[in-house]
Short mmCIF file of all heavy atoms in Angstrom, two decimals:
data_model
loop_
_atom_site.label_atom_id
_atom_site.label_comp_id
_atom_site.label_asym_id
_atom_site.label_seq_id
_atom_site.Cartn_x
_atom_site.Cartn_y
_atom_site.Cartn_z
N ALA S 19 207.53 108.17 156.61
CA ALA S 19 207.06 109.19 157.55
C ALA S 19 206.29 108.58 158.69
O ALA S 19 206.29 109.08 159.81
CB ALA S 19 206.19 110.21 156.80
N ASP S 20 205.56 107.46 158.41
CA ASP S 20 204.74 106.83 159.43
C ASP S 20 205.48 105.73 160.18
O ASP S 20 204.91 105.07 161.03
CB ASP S 20 203.48 106.22 158.78
CG ASP S 20 202.56 107.30 158.20
OD1 ASP S 20 202.60 108.43 158.71
OD2 ASP S 20 201.82 106.98 157.26
N ALA S 21 206.75 105.50 159.87
CA ALA S 21 207.50 104.43 160.53
C ALA S 21 207.52 104.67 162.03
O ALA S 21 207.65 105.79 162.51
CB ALA S 21 208.93 104.38 159.98
N CYS S 22 207.38 103.58 162.78
CA CYS S 22 207.31 103.68 164.23
C CYS S 22 208.71 103.64 164.83
O CYS S 22 209.35 102.59 164.85
CB CYS S 22 206.45 102.54 164.78
SG CYS S 22 206.26 102.60 166.56
N VAL S 23 209.18 104.79 165.26
CA VAL S 23 210.45 104.89 165.98
C VAL S 23 210.15 105.49 167.35
O VAL S 23 209.53 106.55 167.44
CB VAL S 23 211.46 105.76 165.22
CG1 VAL S 23 212.75 105.91 166.02
CG2 VAL S 23 211.76 105.17 163.84
N LEU S 24 210.55 104.82 168.40
CA LEU S 24 210.27 105.26 169.76
C LEU S 24 211.55 105.80 170.38
O LEU S 24 212.50 105.07 170.63
CB LEU S 24 209.75 104.09 170.60
CG LEU S 24 209.34 104.42 172.04
CD1 LEU S 24 208.04 105.22 172.05
CD2 LEU S 24 209.18 103.14 172.87
N CYS S 63 208.13 98.51 166.33
CA CYS S 63 208.83 99.78 166.40
C CYS S 63 210.32 99.60 166.68
O CYS S 63 210.72 98.65 167.35
CB CYS S 63 208.23 100.66 167.50
SG CYS S 63 206.48 101.06 167.27
N ASP S 85 210.02 110.48 173.38
CA ASP S 85 208.66 109.97 173.20
C ASP S 85 208.12 109.25 174.43
O ASP S 85 206.91 109.22 174.65
CB ASP S 85 208.60 109.00 172.01
CG ASP S 85 209.04 109.65 170.71
OD1 ASP S 85 208.65 110.82 170.48
OD2 ASP S 85 209.77 109.01 169.93
N VAL S 223 204.15 108.04 177.99
CA VAL S 223 204.28 108.38 176.57
C VAL S 223 203.82 109.81 176.32
O VAL S 223 202.84 110.27 176.93
CB VAL S 223 203.47 107.39 175.71
CG1 VAL S 223 203.60 107.72 174.22
CG2 VAL S 223 203.92 105.96 175.97
N LYS S 225 201.83 112.68 174.60
CA LYS S 225 200.47 112.65 174.06
C LYS S 225 200.45 112.74 172.54
O LYS S 225 199.66 112.05 171.88
CB LYS S 225 199.66 113.80 174.67
CG LYS S 225 198.20 113.84 174.23
CD LYS S 225 197.41 114.84 175.04
CE LYS S 225 197.87 116.26 174.81
NZ LYS S 225 197.02 117.26 175.52
N ASP S 226 201.29 113.57 171.95
CA ASP S 226 201.32 113.69 170.49
C ASP S 226 201.83 112.40 169.85
O ASP S 226 201.34 111.99 168.78
CB ASP S 226 202.20 114.87 170.06
CG ASP S 226 201.58 116.21 170.43
OD1 ASP S 226 200.34 116.26 170.61
OD2 ASP S 226 202.32 117.20 170.53
N TYR S 227 202.82 111.77 170.49
CA TYR S 227 203.31 110.49 169.96
C TYR S 227 202.19 109.45 170.01
O TYR S 227 202.00 108.68 169.05
CB TYR S 227 204.52 110.00 170.76
CG TYR S 227 205.14 108.74 170.20
CD1 TYR S 227 206.11 108.80 169.21
CD2 TYR S 227 204.72 107.49 170.63
CE1 TYR S 227 206.65 107.64 168.66
CE2 TYR S 227 205.25 106.32 170.10
CZ TYR S 227 206.22 106.41 169.12
OH TYR S 227 206.75 105.25 168.57
N TYR S 228 201.45 109.44 171.11
CA TYR S 228 200.33 108.50 171.20
C TYR S 228 199.31 108.78 170.10
O TYR S 228 198.74 107.85 169.51
CB TYR S 228 199.66 108.61 172.57
CG TYR S 228 198.50 107.64 172.74
CD1 TYR S 228 198.72 106.34 173.17
CD2 TYR S 228 197.20 108.04 172.45
CE1 TYR S 228 197.66 105.45 173.31
CE2 TYR S 228 196.14 107.17 172.59
CZ TYR S 228 196.38 105.88 173.02
OH TYR S 228 195.32 104.99 173.14
N GLY S 229 199.08 110.06 169.79
CA GLY S 229 198.14 110.40 168.74
C GLY S 229 198.55 109.88 167.38
O GLY S 229 197.70 109.53 166.55
N SER S 230 199.86 109.76 167.13
CA SER S 230 200.37 109.27 165.85
C SER S 230 200.55 107.75 165.83
O SER S 230 200.50 107.14 164.76
CB SER S 230 201.72 109.93 165.53
OG SER S 230 201.58 111.33 165.45
N HIS S 231 200.79 107.15 167.00
CA HIS S 231 201.11 105.72 167.07
C HIS S 231 200.32 105.03 168.18
O HIS S 231 200.85 104.19 168.91
CB HIS S 231 202.62 105.53 167.32
CG HIS S 231 203.50 106.19 166.31
ND1 HIS S 231 203.68 105.69 165.04
CD2 HIS S 231 204.23 107.34 166.37
CE1 HIS S 231 204.51 106.48 164.37
NE2 HIS S 231 204.84 107.49 165.15
N GLY S 232 199.06 105.39 168.29
CA GLY S 232 198.23 104.87 169.38
C GLY S 232 198.15 103.36 169.43
O GLY S 232 198.26 102.75 170.51
N ALA S 233 197.97 102.72 168.29
CA ALA S 233 197.83 101.25 168.27
C ALA S 233 199.11 100.58 168.76
O ALA S 233 199.08 99.62 169.53
CB ALA S 233 197.48 100.77 166.87
N ALA S 234 200.26 101.11 168.32
CA ALA S 234 201.54 100.53 168.75
C ALA S 234 201.75 100.73 170.25
O ALA S 234 202.20 99.82 170.95
CB ALA S 234 202.69 101.17 167.97
N VAL S 235 201.40 101.91 170.76
CA VAL S 235 201.56 102.18 172.19
C VAL S 235 200.67 101.27 173.01
O VAL S 235 201.09 100.71 174.04
CB VAL S 235 201.27 103.66 172.51
CG1 VAL S 235 201.24 103.89 174.01
CG2 VAL S 235 202.31 104.57 171.85
N GLU S 236 199.43 101.09 172.58
CA GLU S 236 198.53 100.18 173.31
C GLU S 236 199.11 98.77 173.34
O GLU S 236 199.01 98.07 174.36
CB GLU S 236 197.15 100.18 172.63
CG GLU S 236 196.37 101.47 172.75
CD GLU S 236 195.77 101.67 174.14
OE1 GLU S 236 195.74 100.71 174.93
OE2 GLU S 236 195.32 102.80 174.43
N GLU S 237 199.71 98.34 172.24
CA GLU S 237 200.33 97.02 172.20
C GLU S 237 201.52 96.94 173.16
O GLU S 237 201.72 95.93 173.83
CB GLU S 237 200.77 96.69 170.77
CG GLU S 237 201.21 95.24 170.59
CD GLU S 237 201.41 94.86 169.13
OE1 GLU S 237 200.98 95.63 168.25
OE2 GLU S 237 201.99 93.78 168.89
N MET S 238 202.31 98.02 173.24
CA MET S 238 203.43 98.05 174.18
C MET S 238 202.94 97.96 175.62
O MET S 238 203.51 97.23 176.44
CB MET S 238 204.24 99.33 173.99
CG MET S 238 204.99 99.43 172.66
SD MET S 238 205.91 101.01 172.58
CE MET S 238 205.96 101.26 170.80
#
Side-chain angles (χ1 to χ4, degrees):
D20 294 333
C22 181
V23 177
L24 183 72
C63 299
D85 301 319
V223 180
K225 182 170 65 175
D226 291 338
Y227 184 87
Y228 181 86
S230 300
H231 304 285
V235 172
E236 292 285 347
E237 190 170 347
M238 292 180 207

